[in-house]
Amino acid sequence: MRKPAAPDRSRCRVLVVEDDDTIGRHLETGLRSNGYAPTWSRTGAGALTESAQTPYDVLLLDLGLPDMDGLDIARTLRARFPDLLIVILTARTDDIDVIAGLDAGADDYLVKPFSLTVLLARLRAHLRRRTIASPAQEPIPLGDLVVDVTARRCTLHDREVPLRPKEFELLAVLARHLGEAVPRETLMAEVWDENWFGSTKTLDVTLAGLRRRLADAVVRPSRMPRITTLRGHGYRLELI
Ligand code: CA
């Protein structure tokens, strides 16, 4: 079992990818004065070079860059660094852009204009979640699907089902409450942050992704759990 450790923000390296001088400088100054170690890159190419040279903990990524699409950078760095915390900073507010960002591997997003205080709170929440170890738990059988929380692995007939980090955490919370109605607020608090104050659209987007990936994993007749939407309340995972 891992030992719980307090987040050491003095060593938390943040790669800021932002072509806007005002926002970039604001982020660099604000992060540094709050104990982070930021590096600011104005271009996508610069960010890829920088990330290949230095191990980063966090990527703050503007989507609209002069030389590359931020989504391509998110995809590339997610593939290279599975543990990197990726937060997208975007002026785009359409659902499709949020979904594309999360599908590209981002853990979270903030819509511009955002306040530094909010950004710092989100980072603290994500980093706290990553550094606090949970006790080892037995794998949870759900028909032919198995959720192994300790190993962070979901398998169907012993084949791994590829889930994004938040999809896995959502499935794990629902699995721990098998057969129970789980309120949206509980899911937001357990999977994201107890101080979540934004839209809960992220929950629905992540849930839709989870359903899709579970369905895609079924290649032969299998006993699968079903996630039922409880309108105005939340979700329930059950075995039929
Ligand atoms: Ca930009």
Side-chain angles (χ1 to χ4, degrees), residues 18-20 62-66 112:
E18 171 61 75
D19 62 312
D20 183 293
D62 176 33
L63 287 186
L65 294 166
K112 294 176 186 173

Side-chain angles (χ1 to χ4, degrees), residues 121-144:
R122 291 272 184 92
L123 289 184
R124 279 197 304 275
H126 282 292
L127 295 170
R128 189 169 61 231
R129 203 163 289 285
R130 281 165 186 242
T131 50
I132 294 173
S134 51
Q137 296 171 50
E138 292 297 310
I140 305 168
L142 303 164
D144 293 321

Side-chain angles (χ1 to χ4, degrees), residues 2 9 63 70 88 161:
R2 290 173 298 158
R9 285 191 286 121
L63 287 186
I88 283 176
V161 180

Side-chain angles (χ1 to χ4, degrees), residues 144-194:
D144 293 321
L145 196 73
V146 176
V147 178
D148 186 338
V149 175
T150 304
R152 287 191 69 87
R153 185 182 296 132
C154 172
T155 53
L156 176 62
H157 301 299
D158 296 327
R159 285 184 56 173
E160 181 145 9
V161 180
L163 297 177
R164 289 203 318 253
K166 291 299 181 195
E167 291 168 351
F168 180 86
E169 287 169 31
L170 187 53
L171 176 62
V173 174
L174 289 169
R176 281 198 285 270
H177 297 277
L178 183 64
E180 299 170 21
V182 186
R184 299 176 66 85
E185 297 73 28
T186 303
L187 293 169
M188 293 306 302
E190 294 204 23
V191 177
W192 281 271
D193 175 20
E194 65 270 28

